[in-house]
Amino acid sequence: MINRTTLTGRLTRDVDLRYTPNGAAVGNFTLAVDRRFTNQNGEREADFINCVIWRKSAENFANFTHKGALVGIDGRLQTRNYENQQGQRVYVTEVVVENFALLEPRSANKGGNNGAPQNNSGNNNPFENQNNNSSNNGGNNGNGMNNNSSDPFANSGDQIDISDDDLPF
């Protein structure tokens, strides 16, 4: 049997991080996932998927994400039920997250842009300097140095020596 769920969407609120009596961290959040089609009014609708994440992953997820953050999650669909205070049986279906990926820089939607991704000069490269354009040799400003030091893979003009021992295969 296969029970796999992979979703990409935005957090509707900050992660609700709590701890069980045994000390295990558990995070609950809702992911807004756009539908692939538009409705009759031409508007794109979204599904709001309840998710739960456990232990150290929950702590990391809560620390590195915030409302509006674009994330990818991988996990399994789970159904559970409980009896509420009024004595009614409540059924809950949620995604139990096993892996996640942060799909934009942490600072991308801070500063009041309502969760919209920032425009990083056309190619959505978060490391590219906003002042660079395609006429300056792909980010190289002509002096052999990329003027954005936050990119660890920037072309600094230095030769890179890699031996066969450095390769994982």
Side-chain angles (χ1 to χ4, degrees):
M1 308 303 149
I2 299 173
N3 182 357
R4 286 311 308 145
T5 302
T6 304
L7 300 170
T8 301
R10 293 195 180 273
L11 295 179
T12 61
R13 57 182 163 77
D14 288 344
V15 177
D16 179 21
L17 184 64
R18 298 181 185 194
Y19 291 87
T20 66
N22 293 338
V26 59
N28 291 296
F29 61 96
T30 302
L31 200 63
V33 180
D34 284 340
R35 293 183 179 171
R36 298 187 75 191
F37 53 86
T38 57
N39 62 16
Q40 292 177 345
N41 299 330
E43 300 166 340
R44 189 170 300 275
E45 295 179 354
D47 293 305
F48 297 89
I49 313 293
N50 293 325
C51 302
V52 63
I53 187 168
W54 289 89
R55 297 176 185 77
K56 188 66 176 172
S57 293
E59 293 174 337
N60 289 335
F61 192 76
N63 287 334
F64 293 108
T65 62
H66 53 280
K67 178 181 177 179
L70 182 65
V71 297
I73 63 167
D74 176 52
R76 68 181 193 279
L77 203 56
Q78 178 176 289
T79 304
R80 59 184 172 88
N81 63 70
Y82 63 93
E83 194 170 300
N84 66 10
Q85 293 176 346
Q86 293 78 23
Q88 298 170 323
R89 179 71 46 199
V90 177
Y91 293 90
V92 178
T93 301
E94 59 199 358
V95 175
V96 178
V97 178
E98 295 172 359
N99 295 302
F100 67 88
L102 308 177
L103 300 180
E104 62 188 359
R106 188 172 187 192
S107 62
N109 60 13
K110 289 186 179 179
N113 63 357
N114 298 326
Q118 288 182 338
N119 182 5
N120 289 314
S121 64
N123 67 353
N124 293 330
N125 180 352
F127 296 111
E128 187 171 333
N129 189 326
Q130 292 290 335
N131 296 326
N132 288 348
N133 60 33
S134 59
S135 66
N136 64 8
N137 209 8
N140 186 347
N141 62 8
N143 65 2
M145 296 295 288
N146 187 331
N147 56 351
N148 188 349
S149 62
S150 65
D151 184 358
F153 303 106
N155 181 7
S156 64
D158 297 335
Q159 183 176 355
I160 299 174
D161 293 322
I162 299 175
S163 70
D164 288 344
D165 296 334
D166 296 328
L167 299 175
F169 46 89

